[in-house]
Amino acid sequence: MTRIIRIFDTTLRDGEQSPGASMNIEEKILVAKQLARLNVDIIEAGFAFSSPGDFEAIQRIAQEIEGPVVCSLARAKPEDIDRAWEALKGAPKSRIHTFLSSSDIHLKYQFRMSREEALKRGVEMVRHARGYVDDVEYSPMDATRSDLSYLCEVVEAVIEAGAGTVNIPDTVGYTTPQEFGHIIRTLRERVKGIDRAILSVHCHNDLGLAVANSMAAIHAGAGQVECTINGIGERAGNASLEEIAMGLRTRKDFYQADTGIQTEEISKASRLVSNITGMVVQPNKAIVGANAFAHTSGIHQDGLLKEKITYEIMQPETIGLTQSRLVMGKLSGRHAFREELVRLGYSLTDQEILEAFERFKRLADQKKELFEEDLEAIVNKAVTKVPERYSLKGLYVESGMDRRPLAKVELLIDGQSVTKTAEGDGPVDAVYRTIAVLTQTKSQLKAYIVKAITGGTDAQGEVSVRVEENGETVTGHGSDTDIIIASAQAYLNALNKLADLMERHARAEQKIGLC
Ligand code: KIV
Ligand code: ZN
C-alpha cells in the first residue's frame, strides 16, 4: 500500500535563514499562495518571537491562506509559545512547533542544561502549547548527534505530553542515509506510544546528503518530511521539496510512498522563490535546473527519438515545464488580460489588475510577443510592490569602447524631482553611483544578477540585486527590455524596501515605547 508522506514546507522560516534570502511580507504571502497551490500539508510561516516582521507575516498567512496548516516556530520558552499562538490564532488550521536541543554538545556548551532539565522543559512546553492548540510539534534539535537512548526517552516523553508530531532534525547535516535509517527504525521499535505521533525528519545539506537522508528516513518509516523550495536554507540549505516529491513519485515502486504535492506547480514555485530571494538555481540542479531535462548527447537524443523511456525517467510536463506559451500581444484588452491571469492561477485585487495591466501595455509596446513568464514577472511586481519613496523618472547613459561611462538619472524622491550626472566603471556602475548620490544612501551592493526571462534579443532582462545597509539585507528586482533600466529599477526597488523596513522598525519601536 502507498503511504502518503506529509510535506512540511519551511521555505519561509529555515529557507529565509539562507544568507541574503530575506523576503518582505508581500513576497512571503506570494510564496505562501504558491505553496498552497503546490498542496503542501504544512507551511512553517516563520518564527513569531524573532521579529515583528515575522510575526506579521505569520499572522497574514494564517488569515489569508486556505488549505495547508500554518505553523510558527517557537523556542521551548513560554513567551515564544505565547507569541506564536498570538500570530496563529486566526488560522483555520494551526500548529505550534517548539524545539530544544537533545545533544550533549548543545546542552553542555550552548544551553548549559542537564539532560533531565532539557527533557522536563520540553515536556512542559509541549503541555503549554497544547493549552492553545491540539496540533503541536516537538523537535529535539541536533538529534542525530544525540545519545540514541536519551533521544528515545525525549521522544516518548513529549508524545506522552501531547506532541502529535515529533521531528528528528539533522541540524548540522552530519548524518548518513544508513545511520539515519537506523535512528528512525530504532525510534519506531523502542518508543512507547510512537504510533500516536507522526515521525518527521528535517535534514540539512552540509554534506550534500539532505535529500538522501530524508529518503532513507521515509524508507525506515518517517511520515513527514521538512523541506524547502530549491533546497534553500541555513548554510548549505535544507532538503529540497521538489527532489523529494519527484523522488517519491518516480520511485513509488521502491518507497511504497508518495506525497499530495501537485507536481505541475513545481517549476513555477522554483522560479518564484529564486526570483524573490535572488538565489539563482544552478543549471544542473535536479528537477528544476535549466539543464535538468536537456539531453545533448547524440546517443541519448537518438534513443529519445525512438522511445522516450530510453533516457527520460520523468516528463518535463509533470513539473509544469511546457513550451513557453505565447499568451498575449499589444492589442489584447483588459478583459482578456484578466482571463489569462485567472487561467494562470492568480487572484488579484482590482487595483493590482489595473497596475499589472498598465505594466503589460508598456511592455507590449516594447516587445512584440508576450509569454507566460513575462506575465508572471509583471504580476509578481504588481503584487509585491513596496511604497515607492524613490522612483525612476529618466535615465540616459553614454558608454563606448574609448570613453568612461556617464549616467544622467532623474528620480522622484518623495514626489520631488532631482537630477544628477556621474561617471562609473561601467554603465551600471555609473547609474548606481548616481542613484546613491541622489538618494543619499550608503548601502552596499552584495550581489547583482541579470538573466533573460524568455528567449530572443527582445526578451525582458530581469535584474536582481542584494543590497545591505545597517545590518539589513534586502533583494530588489527590475525587469525591462533594456537591462540598464532594469538594473536601475532593481536598485531602486531594493532602496525602497530598505526605506520601508526602516520605517516599519521605527513604528514598531514607537509602539513598544508607548506600551
Ligand atoms: O535545523 C534545525 O534543527 C531546525 C530546528 C528548529 C527544527 O531548524
Ligand atoms: Zn533547520
Side-chain angles (χ1 to χ4, degrees):
M1 208 183 68
T2 305
R3 288 189 304 135
I4 296 297
I5 307 300
R6 292 176 193 215
I7 295 292
F8 176 113
D9 180 277
T10 183
T11 306
L12 297 174
R13 200 278 295 170
D14 215 324
E16 214 217 3
Q17 287 173 219
S18 310
S22 64
M23 307 174 218
N24 69 22
I25 291 177
E26 300 307 329
E27 290 167 339
K28 286 185 183 179
I29 305 274
L30 201 60
V31 171
K33 284 187 178 160
Q34 183 58 24
L35 292 174
R37 276 188 219 113
L38 259 178
N39 202 29
V40 305
D41 297 280
I42 302 109
I43 296 177
E44 188 165 51
F47 183 174
F49 193 84
S50 69
S51 72
D54 257 40
F55 181 87
E56 199 183 333
I58 298 168
Q59 200 171 42
R60 292 258 324 260
I61 291 170
Q63 287 161 2
E64 293 177 31
I65 303 299
E66 280 170 30
V69 173
V70 179
C71 171
S72 169
L73 186 68
R75 288 169 301 178
K77 293 180 172 210
E79 60 272 30
D80 271 42
I81 293 171
D82 298 344
R83 191 87 177 130
W85 176 245
E86 202 47 43
L88 286 169
K89 63 186 178 194
K93 293 184 271 176
S94 54
R95 172 179 295 187
I96 295 176
H97 174 195
T98 187
F99 70 100
L100 179 62
S101 292
S102 56
S103 71
D104 290 337
I105 304 173
H106 281 203
L107 291 180
K108 179 173 173 198
Y109 296 108
Q110 189 182 7
F111 294 96
R112 302 188 195 286
M113 262 185 186
S114 66
R115 287 185 183 182
E116 293 70 29
E117 283 167 330
L119 187 144
K120 187 163 167 279
R121 171 84 73 83
V123 164
E124 282 167 4
M125 291 306 109
V126 168
R127 290 205 184 111
H128 186 70
R130 279 297 305 263
Y132 290 123
V133 64
D134 286 345
D135 191 347
V136 172
E137 172 170 331
Y138 186 80
S139 289
M141 189 160 69
D142 203 20
T144 53
R145 293 192 300 166
S146 303
D147 174 74
L148 193 47
S149 299
Y150 175 64
L151 185 65
C152 288
E153 266 180 65
V154 172
V155 172
E156 193 166 309
V158 294
I159 293 174
E160 183 59 35
T165 304
V166 184
N167 178 47
I168 308 300
D170 183 28
T171 304
V172 289
Y174 180 73
T175 198
T176 67
Q178 291 76 6
E179 187 179 60
F180 205 35
H182 171 68
I183 293 174
I184 299 299
R185 268 189 295 275
T186 307
L187 288 168
R188 293 188 66 218
E189 281 159 18
R190 285 209 221 150
V191 170
K192 252 197 273 143
I194 193 75
D195 293 336
R196 280 191 273 128
I198 290 177
L199 208 46
S200 167
V201 289
H202 174 114
C203 297
H204 279 274
N205 206 28
D206 300 66
L207 295 173
L209 291 171
V211 171
N213 288 336
S214 305
M215 299 300 262
I218 291 169
H219 195 237
Q224 173 181 292
V225 203
E226 304 200 351
C227 45
T228 60
I229 304 292
N230 297 338
I232 64 170
E234 183 86 25
R235 305 181 310 278
N238 289 64
S240 113
L241 181 149
E242 57 279 6
E243 292 178 27
I244 288 171
M246 288 310 291
L248 292 178
R249 184 78 35 104
T250 310
R251 295 306 313 272
K252 218 186 295 185
D253 60 322
F254 178 77
Y255 290 101
Q256 303 289 308
D258 198 355
T259 68
I261 290 294
Q262 190 68 41
T263 59
E264 291 74 14
E265 294 290 332
I266 283 178
S267 199
K268 201 163 156 195
S270 167
R271 279 201 301 272
L272 179 69
V273 170
S274 168
N275 288 342
I276 286 179
T277 59
M279 294 186 71
V280 180
V281 174
Q282 75 197 57
N284 58 327
K285 157 106 175 52
I287 318 292
V288 290
N291 297 345
F293 292 92
H295 299 268
T296 47
S297 137
I299 295 175
H300 290 202
Q301 286 174 347
D302 173 60
L304 278 166
L305 285 172
K306 290 175 177 146
E307 173 54 62
K308 280 203 168 161
I309 59 165
T310 50
Y311 292 95
E312 202 173 74
I313 60 164
M314 300 169 274
Q315 282 76 54
E317 300 78 40
T318 49
I319 62 148
L321 265 188
T322 44
Q323 282 285 325
S324 278
R325 215 175 60 85
L326 182 63
V327 279
M328 314 191 82
K330 201 174 165 159
L331 300 176
S332 310
R334 179 129 46 107
H335 185 69
F337 180 72
R338 186 190 285 261
E339 301 261 289
E340 191 57 31
L341 295 186
V342 171
R343 197 194 62 76
L344 289 172
Y346 293 108
S347 64
L348 268 62
T349 63
D350 287 348
Q351 181 58 30
E352 285 166 349
I353 290 186
L354 205 73
E355 282 175 32
F357 187 66
E358 273 171 25
R359 285 182 202 276
F360 161 74
K361 279 288 177 194
R362 249 179 281 139
L363 182 61
D365 272 341
Q366 298 165 340
K367 196 170 183 279
K368 276 203 298 292
E369 299 171 325
L370 293 182
F371 295 90
E372 273 180 16
E373 291 87 339
D374 290 313
L375 242 57
E376 238 173 68
I378 289 172
V379 170
N380 291 347
K381 223 183 209 171
V383 175
T384 60
K385 65 181 183 312
V386 275
E388 284 207 325
R389 171 144 201 239
Y390 314 112
S391 62
L392 187 65
K393 186 100 192 302
L395 174 60
Y396 311 93
V397 176
E398 286 175 16
S399 75
M401 284 179 70
D402 51 2
R403 58 184 311 156
R404 201 161 147 71
L406 182 77
K408 181 176 173 197
V409 179
E410 184 183 358
L411 296 184
L412 279 183
I413 303 184
D414 294 327
Q416 296 285 324
S417 165
V418 285
T419 306
K420 192 120 210 131
T421 304
E423 287 185 347
D425 289 335
V428 174
D429 186 49
V431 171
Y432 281 20
R433 279 172 193 264
T434 318
I435 291 177
V437 174
L438 283 171
T439 55
Q440 297 176 10
T441 47
K442 299 209 162 20
S443 58
Q444 274 189 306
L445 184 67
K446 294 289 180 187
Y448 171 87
I449 301 147
V450 59
K451 62 178 199 267
I453 294 181
T454 55
T457 49
D458 72 344
Q460 283 197 86
E462 181 164 75
V463 176
S464 299
V465 292
R466 196 175 306 140
V467 164
E468 193 187 292
E469 192 173 346
N470 294 334
E472 297 285 359
T473 305
V474 293
T475 49
H477 309 283
S479 48
D480 198 279
T481 46
D482 181 323
I483 59 158
I484 305 293
I485 295 176
S487 302
Q489 285 173 349
Y491 190 39
L492 288 169
N493 181 235
L495 294 184
N496 279 322
K497 281 185 181 176
L498 278 171
D500 186 44
L501 210 61
M502 301 302 170
E503 212 177 296
R504 278 169 191 269
H505 285 343
R507 259 188 275 135
E509 272 165 29
Q510 220 174 26
K511 220 163 137 190
I512 292 165
L514 285 175
C515 289

